[in-house]
Amino acid sequence: MNTFQALVLGLVQGLTEYLPVSSSGHLEIGKALLGPAAEAGGLTFDIVVHVATVLATLVVLWREVTWLFVGLFKFRLNDETRYVLNILISMIPVGIVGLLFKDKVEALYAGNVLLTTGVCLLITALLLTLTQYYKGEEKSRISPINAFIIGISQAFAVLPGLSRSGSTIATGLLLGNSRKTMAQFSFLMVIPPILGEAILDFKDIISPSASVLAEHGATAPIPASSLIVGFIAAFVSGCFACKWMISLVKKCKLIYFAIYCAIVGVAVICFNLI
């Protein structure tokens, strides 16, 4: 993977991580369009740019993150503690998937990934469309049960093309939570799982073995310059996209992304079948 490919894919990751269009799906589409050299980046590059977007979340939502930490260190059951507990509850499903089905998930990215991406983009479009027409009472506080159900939707979003932000926000809205509440919770709940995965895979990112390279479809480690460029591109574009997405969710503009996902999903499926 050269620096130009890393720049393009980093921008794709940063913009699509927060927009409900599936960053993993768009990364796979981008790699296919850029050629075999870009596809050889594998999960190492994906993890690096995902960490970049997590840091973008921390920058954009620093007030909310600070509020949580200050509340936690009061060492009593308060709104901040309940919020963190909900985040921990939401991590349970994706943790189970990571521990028990990691190999099967990675196998999806090694097979006919574009067909899977196209189908999952259509599912994302359906979820986003449902939120447009669902009118229910909006709750300003997420319950533990809701947090777990939203976590299940995040676990399914490991599939390429099934948007994590789209799935979690749509699930939360359909459960009756307010748009403002879900925009914030959706972006904060992803921080622990991604950072946890990055820590677990840190050794392979810094110095991948031959077996790891072969598993991820690469013949040589990704150049450090490409990882740095991809990281910076994902971070900068992620900061912009995070602010934009929060505003769009509050204004109920998700239907436009549903149309986009449907068009791209159909196009990818048709291209794959030709």
Side-chain angles (χ1 to χ4, degrees), residues 78-99:
N78 50 30
D79 288 342
E80 297 93 322
T81 307
R82 293 187 182 93
Y83 200 100
V84 172
L85 287 175
N86 281 337
I87 289 178
L88 294 176
I89 291 171
S90 73
M91 290 170 53
I92 295 174
V94 75
I96 293 173
V97 171
L99 290 173

Side-chain angles (χ1 to χ4, degrees), residues 87-170:
I87 289 178
L88 294 176
I89 291 171
S90 73
M91 290 170 53
I92 295 174
V94 75
I96 293 173
V97 171
L99 290 173
L100 301 181
F101 304 104
K102 183 178 180 179
D103 293 341
K104 293 183 178 180
V105 171
E106 291 182 354
L108 290 173
Y109 288 83
N112 192 352
V113 66
L114 286 182
L115 180 59
T116 303
T117 298
V119 173
C120 288
L121 280 170
L122 294 181
I123 296 174
T124 297
L126 176 62
L127 285 171
L128 296 177
T129 301
L130 290 175
T131 65
Q132 185 72 16
Y133 298 101
Y134 175 80
K135 304 296 181 182
E137 180 182 357
E138 292 193 341
K139 299 174 288 188
S140 60
R141 178 177 294 179
I142 297 174
S143 69
I145 295 298
N146 279 190
F148 184 77
I149 296 173
I150 295 168
I152 293 175
S153 68
Q154 177 175 241
F156 276 105
V158 298
L159 298 171
L162 190 56
S163 169
R164 187 205 60 79
S165 62
S167 298
T168 54
I169 290 174

Side-chain angles (χ1 to χ4, degrees), residues 18-235:
Y18 302 100
L19 304 181
V21 296
S22 177
S23 61
S24 60
H26 277 72
L27 275 179
E28 294 303 324
I29 294 172
K31 289 175 184 178
L33 292 175
L34 290 173
E39 293 178 331
L43 292 180
T44 298
F45 182 82
D46 293 1
I47 291 172
V48 168
V49 293
H50 272 88
V51 170
T53 49
V54 164
L55 294 180
T57 305
L58 294 175
V59 169
V60 174
L61 298 178
W62 68 270
R63 289 187 180 87
E64 290 80 359
V65 174
T66 302
W67 168 73
L68 290 176
F69 274 103
V70 170
L72 279 176
F73 285 106
K74 291 179 181 178
F75 299 107
R76 63 172 181 264
L77 188 61
N78 50 30
D79 288 342
E80 297 93 322
T81 307
R82 293 187 182 93
Y83 200 100
V84 172
L85 287 175
N86 281 337
I87 289 178
L88 294 176
I89 291 171
S90 73
M91 290 170 53
I92 295 174
V94 75
I96 293 173
V97 171
L99 290 173
L100 301 181
F101 304 104
K102 183 178 180 179
D103 293 341
K104 293 183 178 180
V105 171
E106 291 182 354
L108 290 173
Y109 288 83
N112 192 352
V113 66
L114 286 182
L115 180 59
T116 303
T117 298
V119 173
C120 288
L121 280 170
L122 294 181
I123 296 174
T124 297
L126 176 62
L127 285 171
L128 296 177
T129 301
L130 290 175
T131 65
Q132 185 72 16
Y133 298 101
Y134 175 80
K135 304 296 181 182
E137 180 182 357
E138 292 193 341
K139 299 174 288 188
S140 60
R141 178 177 294 179
I142 297 174
S143 69
I145 295 298
N146 279 190
F148 184 77
I149 296 173
I150 295 168
I152 293 175
S153 68
Q154 177 175 241
F156 276 105
V158 298
L159 298 171
L162 190 56
S163 169
R164 187 205 60 79
S165 62
S167 298
T168 54
I169 290 174
T171 300
L173 294 179
L174 293 173
L175 290 171
N177 298 285
S178 72
R179 297 181 182 278
K180 179 180 179 180
T181 300
M182 281 313 306
Q184 176 179 300
F185 187 75
S186 173
F187 297 150
L188 290 176
M189 68 184 286
V190 75
I191 294 175
I194 290 181
L195 288 182
E197 182 179 7
I199 292 171
L200 291 174
D201 294 336
F202 182 75
K203 180 181 178 181
D204 291 333
I205 292 174
I206 298 300
S207 181
S209 63
S211 60
V212 170
L213 289 172
E215 180 182 349
H216 293 168
T219 56
I222 303 174
S225 58
S226 295
L227 291 178
I228 293 172
V229 168
F231 181 92
I232 294 174
F235 175 78

